[in-house]
Amino acid sequence: MLPYRSLDDSGPVNKRQKTIMSEGQKKSKITASRRLALKTKLLKTAAVMLEKEKEEKKLEREATLGERVPLLQLSGLSMQDLQALCKDLHHKIDVVDEERYDIDAKVTKNYKEIHNLSQKIFELKGKMKRPALKRVKISADAMLGALLGSKVKESVDFKANLKTVKKEEEKKEEVTDWRKNVEAMSGMEGRKKLFNAGQ
């Protein structure tokens, strides 16, 4: 029979448990009020840095605009000089517009590539994202062409393949006044007429 060990015994298991408990129960040396004060100081310095960054960007923008677009001096210019200046400005606007269009085309191309690559990644992972479907009006010939490919080139006439069904004309009884029918069919004479009509 093994002797009973209490939890206070200083065996190898208990020492390890004590070190784990002491590591897990370590309290931070910074008090809550000190931590709050540090957070507020960090937020204030971040706000100041953001303001400085905005001012630097604004100054940089003004400097580049001043460099690229000098101030116009229109005083003392003749009509021909003004027309030449307008033509020059229109030419510069066209050049900038072409550059903007090219950059926009590159951005849309890159966006499409990124979208296609992200779809390929989803397919590889096995998480297929279902695209939003749109309602499309399409003719029967176009639908067959899309489904069967180039196999069906001539248009298919669906009405020619349908079975023809001949309709028999139903005998329509003349609709007369119901009161006359009731009077004519009443009594033995009416029953005789019904019997004769059935034969």
Side-chain angles (χ1 to χ4, degrees), residues 93-128:
I93 289 171
D94 290 339
V95 169
V96 169
D97 208 22
E98 288 174 4
E99 289 178 3
R100 183 191 58 80
Y101 180 78
D102 292 340
I103 291 171
D104 190 28
K106 286 180 184 177
V107 167
T108 53
K109 181 182 174 185
N110 288 339
Y111 178 73
K112 287 179 182 177
E113 285 181 16
I114 289 169
H115 184 68
N116 290 337
L117 290 174
S118 63
Q119 279 187 341
K120 286 181 182 178
I121 289 170
F122 275 120
E123 288 174 6
L124 290 175
K125 287 182 177 180
K127 298 177 183 177
M128 184 64 185

Side-chain angles (χ1 to χ4, degrees), residues 134-153:
K134 295 180 182 177
R135 183 176 292 260
V136 178
K137 292 182 180 178
I138 188 169
S139 66
D141 295 334
M143 191 180 302
L144 279 176
L147 290 173
L148 302 176
S150 61
K151 292 178 184 176
V152 179
K153 289 186 180 176

Side-chain angles (χ1 to χ4, degrees), residues 6-23:
S6 66
L7 292 175
D8 295 334
D9 291 346
S10 59
V13 174
N14 289 334
K15 284 183 182 177
R16 200 164 99 221
Q17 285 177 347
K18 286 180 182 178
T19 55
I20 291 172
M21 287 177 62
S22 64
E23 288 175 4

Side-chain angles (χ1 to χ4, degrees), residues 77-88:
L77 292 176
S78 66
M79 192 63 131
Q80 293 175 348
D81 293 337
L82 285 174
Q83 288 177 349
L85 183 64
C86 286
K87 287 179 182 177
D88 186 39

